[in-house]
Structures are given as structure tokens and as C-alpha cells.
């Protein structure tokens, strides 16, 4: 187990109680809380060091640029990219995927080409591909889910053809917590020369990620789901692939030379970063990564698996509870979705909230997946470094209370 109290103490939000009740935050898959060092960097930066990047020749601007680019380097090392040029800053995972769907998609996908996604996708990794398929009269194919909530690899192999231009799949589901063995999926896509995008929004914060080992063309994730600020998304792309793609947004900072009627564009990564970027939040994100690395991703993964196992044991004791998680914890991250017979998820979450327990309810931005499970909505608990067994015990007490109320 991680040293929970030491970790929790570093997150100011946990010192605030509601009616004397401690905060039990079980919604990190949506967005995580922020440690003090991340909050402090933001405050200090605005108070002492703020200036725009990439343009001033005065000290403040040069230092800002240095810190901004240092963060890019730290991120590239964190996922073992070959070069910091392969890291593009966006607003979030959603924007990263849209950038690829527009830039790569518009210039490489044509009539009757095929795009493959999976049945586990978040709307962010589904809707942009639906729209691209419509724009280009291409075909969208979906890898089905097996009863055990893992992806059907054999069906995937049959979906791939010479017309497959891109495979866009999640590495970890935000609903079932299913961990997808992405390397296997990449290898198969390579046989058809298809590009492959990994949605790492849920996996990168929790599992060690090595883009060179995975050999994916793109990996996307969000800072706010890994202790960092909101407003920072990462798009990793192989340098050669990004080089071949046209810019997504046009304007300042992404140009090389501008004439009245024509312009040429900057090299990577600036080519994809038009306008003033989210400087402070990018700089603060570096601290979040350092925080995670200090704990160690292997320790985080182990910790979350033990929380998942514990929560499964505690919650499955109630016959009214139906869990939506792979049977084997080996195939799942720290996410536990469930329903409670006779209690609508929104009612359950309201009762949990009375005890200052935050869980997520609804379709989790994955409506087709939730519907395919035969549910209209699910409850979801998700864990991160600051959670402990006591959090689950408190949530279990809230569940017991709800069951009594709805008897
Ligand atoms: C698997 C997955 N993909 C994409 C997203 C979208 O992330 P963002 O809202 O940061 O764009 C999420 C957010 O929950 C997610 O869980």
C-alpha cells in the first residue's frame, strides 16, 4: 500500500470537511484533485514569472518559454517519446482526437476507406470518427465486446482490411475499467499498414506507458486526469506522421513565413500550436508528472488494483448490486461501475453525496456501451493515489443506508 495519509495531506481539498464529514473522492476517472505543489506553481508563476512564450526577447518571456518547453521534454520522457517535437499541446484528449480526425483524416481518408474503433470508446473517440466517416463517405467499423467485458480480438482481426486507414481504440475503458492489450492490436494493424491511435485518457495516469514499445502512431491524454490542471491535452504523434499532416488551426505562432496571399508553416511542434497556448497550466503539469513519478506508476497500479479488489469484495456481498468489471482484476484498472437493483443511479449518488462521497452516475460519455450492457445508467467509483480502504468502507456504509431507505 502507498503511504496514504502522507499522500492525502498533500492535497489541500481533503482538509475541507462537509458537515464534519471528510471528503471521499471516488470520481478521479472524470478528473482528479490537485496536489499543493501543482497549485503553488500556478500561483507563483502568475505572481512572479508570467509572460507570453516564443516571442519576447526580455528575460520574463525567455524564462517562460524555457519552462514551457521543459514541461514538453518531461512529458516526452514520461511516455518515452523519441523527441519532444512529438508532443503537441492541445486543450484536452477530445481536442487531440479531433485534431487527428481533421488533419490526418481529411487528407488521408477517402471514399470507401475504413476506420475502426471499439465498443468501449468514450464519445470523444467515437463521434469525431463518425463525422469523418460521413464527411468522406468512409466506413466506420466497431470491434465488439465479449461477455467478459474485454474486446473481441478475433473479430478485430476480421474487421481489418487493406482499406483500413486508422484504428482508434482506448487503452482503458472509463466505464468498465477494461485494460486493452494495445500492443497486440497495434501489431495486427501494422499488417495492413493502418495507423493506430491510442486513447490513453484513462491509462496514462495509471499505467506505465512507453510509446516506442507500443509502437502506436498517436497517443492522446489529458493533464486534468493525472493531478494536473484543466485545459492541457497531449497529442503524441510519431514525428514522420506529424510531419506529413497539414496544420489543424491556422494563425500566429504556427507559421514560418507569411506573405499577403500565402504562408508557410513552422516545424513541429509549433505547426500544431496556433495562438497563445495555455502556458501556466502546461508548466504546472510538469509538477504533476514529477509527483506521479515520485510515487511510481508501478506502485500506483498495484495500489489501485488492491482498492479495486477490496471494493469488489465489499460491494458484491449485496445481492442487489451488479458489477460491470472484468472478472479478473488483471484486466481492469481502478474503476468499478455498478447498478443497485431498485435504486436509480442518480438517487444513489444523491445519498452518497449526503455522506460527502463523490461518485459518478449516468452514461459516462459512452452511451452506446452503457446501452449495450442493458442499462440506462451506471454508478461508477474510480480510484487514484489519494484513495484508501477507508474510502471504500465509507462508500459501503452509504450503500447500506440507501438499500435501507429504498426497501
Ligand atoms: C477514455 C476517455 N477518452 C476521452 C476522454 C475525454 O477526455 P477530455 O474530457 O479530457 O477531453 C475521457 C474523459 O473522461 C475518457 O475517459
Amino acid at each position: 500500500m502507498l503511504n496514504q495519509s502522507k499522500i492525502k495531506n498533500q492535497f489541500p481539498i481533503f482538509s475541507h470537511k462537509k458537515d464534519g464529514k471528510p471528503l471521499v473522492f471516488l470520481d478521479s476517472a472524470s478528473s482528479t484533485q490537485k496536489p499543493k505543489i501543482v497549485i503553488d506553481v500556478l500561483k507563483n508563476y502568475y505572481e512572479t514569472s508570467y509572460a507570453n512564450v516564443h516571442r519576447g526577447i526580455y528575460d520574463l518571456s525567455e524564462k517562460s518559454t524555457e519552462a514551457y518547453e521543459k514541461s514538453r521534454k518531461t512529458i516526452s520522457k514520461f511516455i518515452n517519446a523519441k523527441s519532444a517535437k512529438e508532443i503537441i499541446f492541445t486543450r484536452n484528449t477530445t481536442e487531440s482526437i479531433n485534431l487527428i480526425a481533421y488533419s490526418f483524416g481529411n487528407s488521408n481518408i477517402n471514399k470507401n476507406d475504413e476506420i475502426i474503433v471499439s465498443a468501449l470508446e468514450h464519445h470523444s473517440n467515437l463521434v469525431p470518427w463518425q463525422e469523418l466517416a460521413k464527411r468522406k463517405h468512409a466506413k466506420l467499423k466497431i470491434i465488439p465486446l465479449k461477455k467478459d467485458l474485454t474486446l473481441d480480438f478475433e473479430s478485430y482481426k476480421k474487421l481489418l482490411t487493406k482499406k483500413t486507414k486508422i484504428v482508434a481504440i482506448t487503452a482503458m475503458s472509463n466505464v468498465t475499467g477494461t485494460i486493452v492489450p494495445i500492443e497486440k492490436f497495434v501489431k495486427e494493424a501494422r499488417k495492413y499498414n493502418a495507423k493506430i491511435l491510442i486513447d490513453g485518457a484513462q491509462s496514462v495516469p495509471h499505467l506505465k506507458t512507453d510509446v516506442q514499445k507500443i509502437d502506436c502512431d498517436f497517443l492522446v491524454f489529458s493533464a486534468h486526469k493525472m493531478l494536473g490542471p484543466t485545459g492541457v491535452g497531449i497529442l503524441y504523434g510519431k514525428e514522420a506522421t506529424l510531419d506529413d499532416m497539414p496544420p489543424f488551426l491556422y494563425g500566429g505562432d504556427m507559421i514560418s513565413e507569411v506573405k499577403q496571399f500565402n504562408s508557410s508553416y513552422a516545424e513541429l511542434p509549433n505547426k500544431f500550436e496556433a495562438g497563445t497556448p495555455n502556458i501556466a497550466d502546461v508548466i504546472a503539469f510538469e509538477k504533476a508528472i514529477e509527483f506521479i513519478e515520485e510515487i511510481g506508476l508501478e506502485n500506483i497500479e498495484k495500489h489501485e488494483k488492491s482498492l479495486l479488489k477490496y471494493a469488489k469484495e465489499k460491494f458484491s456481498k449485496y445481492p442487489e448490486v451488479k458489477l460491470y468489471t472484468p472478472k479478473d482484476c488483471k484486466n481492469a484498472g481502478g474503476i468499478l461501475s455498478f447498478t443497485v437493483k431498485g435504486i436509480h443511479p442518480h438517487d444513489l449518488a444523491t445519498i452518497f453525496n449526503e455522506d460527502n462521497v463523490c461518485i459518478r452516475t449516468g452514461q459516462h460519455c459512452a452511451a452506446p456501451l452503457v446501452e449495450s450492457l442493458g442499462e440506462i445508467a451506471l454508478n461508477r467509483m474510480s480510484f487514484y493515489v489519494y484513495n484508501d480502504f477507508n474510502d471504500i468502507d465509507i462508500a459501503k456504509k452509504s450503500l447500506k443506508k440507501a438499500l435501507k431507505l429504498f426497501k
Side-chain angles (χ1 to χ4, degrees):
M1 281 296 281
L2 303 179
N3 186 342
Q4 235 45 66
S5 56
K6 196 175 153 215
I7 291 176
K8 222 168 198 169
N9 280 343
Q10 296 180 64
F11 290 77
I13 199 156
F14 292 112
S15 59
H16 301 276
K17 293 188 175 176
K18 189 176 91 176
D19 304 328
K21 294 167 189 163
L23 171 65
V24 176
F25 191 75
L26 296 170
D27 194 20
S28 292
S30 175
S31 200
T32 65
Q33 296 301 337
K34 319 300 172 198
K36 188 167 185 307
I37 52 160
V38 169
I39 301 165
D40 284 350
V41 168
L42 282 173
K43 186 169 179 285
N44 288 341
Y45 174 66
Y46 280 124
E47 282 181 0
T48 67
S49 313
Y50 178 76
N52 210 337
V53 290
H54 299 150
R55 35 198 102 178
I57 44 164
Y58 49 91
D59 284 356
L60 270 182
S61 176
E62 282 181 356
K63 279 196 180 140
S64 259
T65 305
E66 237 170 65
Y68 181 78
E69 293 304 328
K70 186 165 156 283
S71 179
R72 194 192 306 273
K73 271 198 194 120
T74 301
I75 295 159
S76 78
K77 282 195 191 126
F78 183 69
I79 58 165
N80 196 29
K82 269 191 186 154
S83 147
K85 283 194 234 168
E86 298 179 317
I87 304 298
I88 312 294
F89 289 119
T90 62
R91 278 188 308 144
N92 46 39
T93 300
T94 306
E95 187 174 288
S96 297
I97 297 171
N98 274 278
L99 190 160
I100 299 161
Y102 274 94
S103 173
F104 174 82
N106 281 355
S107 44
N108 289 282
I109 291 172
N110 297 305
K111 196 171 172 191
N112 296 328
D113 281 342
E114 294 169 358
I115 301 160
I116 298 181
V117 296
S118 89
L120 285 176
E121 301 316 314
H122 185 280
H123 295 161
S124 295
N125 198 30
L126 174 63
V127 183
W129 304 114
Q130 290 174 345
E131 287 302 311
L132 175 65
K134 278 184 210 157
R135 267 198 318 276
K136 294 297 198 137
H137 303 284
K139 192 170 175 190
L140 184 67
K141 293 173 157 183
I142 302 182
I143 310 165
L145 197 60
K146 293 197 294 186
K147 280 212 169 74
D148 65 2
L149 303 180
T150 62
L151 286 183
D152 186 341
F153 188 68
E154 291 310 310
S155 296
Y156 167 61
K157 288 205 286 197
K158 287 183 198 137
L159 290 180
L160 282 161
T161 72
K162 282 187 186 138
K163 288 184 180 163
T164 308
K165 287 286 154 39
I166 191 160
V167 176
I169 52 165
T170 187
M172 190 199 290
S173 161
N174 64 309
V175 177
T176 59
T178 306
I179 295 174
V180 177
I182 42 175
E183 285 178 43
K184 231 168 83 172
F185 283 75
V186 174
K187 265 196 197 118
E188 212 52 38
R190 291 283 169 247
K191 293 182 188 165
Y192 295 86
N193 248 335
K195 298 281 182 215
I196 184 148
L197 176 156
I198 304 298
D199 177 351
Q202 294 299 336
S203 63
V204 174
H206 308 274
L207 308 173
K208 188 133 190 62
T209 304
D210 179 335
V211 286
Q212 293 191 59
K213 189 156 165 263
I214 301 167
D215 189 35
C216 53
D217 298 285
F218 304 106
L219 171 80
V220 293
F221 56 101
S222 295
H224 72 91
K225 290 185 194 288
M226 46 193 297
L227 312 180
T230 50
V232 180
I234 307 301
L235 158 54
Y236 155 83
K238 278 190 177 172
E239 191 174 342
T241 309
L242 291 175
D243 265 336
D244 281 347
M245 287 162 46
F248 171 48
L249 299 173
Y250 295 82
D253 234 25
M254 53 73 67
I255 40 78
S256 166
E257 204 178 13
V258 179
K259 302 276 185 217
Q260 259 191 325
F261 293 102
N262 243 318
S263 302
S264 59
Y265 306 116
E267 303 273 298
L268 291 174
N270 304 53
K271 175 172 120 180
F272 289 110
E273 291 181 14
T276 299
N278 190 351
I279 310 163
D281 293 313
V282 164
I283 292 171
F285 182 35
E286 186 186 22
K287 281 283 165 259
I289 290 183
E290 286 169 9
F291 190 94
I292 289 170
E293 285 191 311
E294 205 165 295
I295 299 171
L297 275 164
E298 284 89 353
N299 295 329
I300 293 175
E301 190 188 343
K302 229 188 275 168
H303 173 68
E304 290 170 357
K305 285 233 193 286
S306 66
L307 291 175
L308 177 68
K309 193 162 165 268
Y310 187 76
K312 271 169 86 170
E313 277 165 19
K314 295 285 167 191
F315 274 58
S316 60
K317 285 204 176 118
Y318 297 91
E320 297 88 345
V321 171
K322 189 169 178 191
L323 302 177
Y324 288 95
T325 175
K327 212 172 185 174
D328 192 342
C329 281
K330 192 174 87 223
N331 297 324
I335 289 175
L336 187 60
S337 286
F338 62 98
T339 53
V340 183
K341 202 171 172 195
I343 310 181
H344 190 281
H346 289 173
D347 291 330
L348 191 79
T350 306
I351 292 165
F352 275 49
N353 182 48
E354 283 171 7
D355 300 329
N356 209 10
V357 178
C358 309
I359 60 166
R360 174 87 189 264
T361 60
Q363 297 194 316
H364 311 287
C365 296
L369 171 58
V370 173
E371 278 159 26
S372 76
L373 298 172
E375 300 288 357
I376 44 160
L378 297 172
N379 308 285
R380 182 186 72 188
M381 296 191 287
S382 53
F383 315 120
Y384 210 17
V385 290
Y386 33 68
N387 293 118
D388 53 23
F389 293 143
N390 191 42
D391 290 341
I392 295 164
D393 290 339
I394 295 173
K396 197 192 86 170
K397 268 191 207 152
S398 302
L399 171 66
K400 230 169 138 181
K401 188 171 100 181
L403 284 167
K404 223 170 160 186
L405 267 169
F406 277 79
K407 215 167 183 181

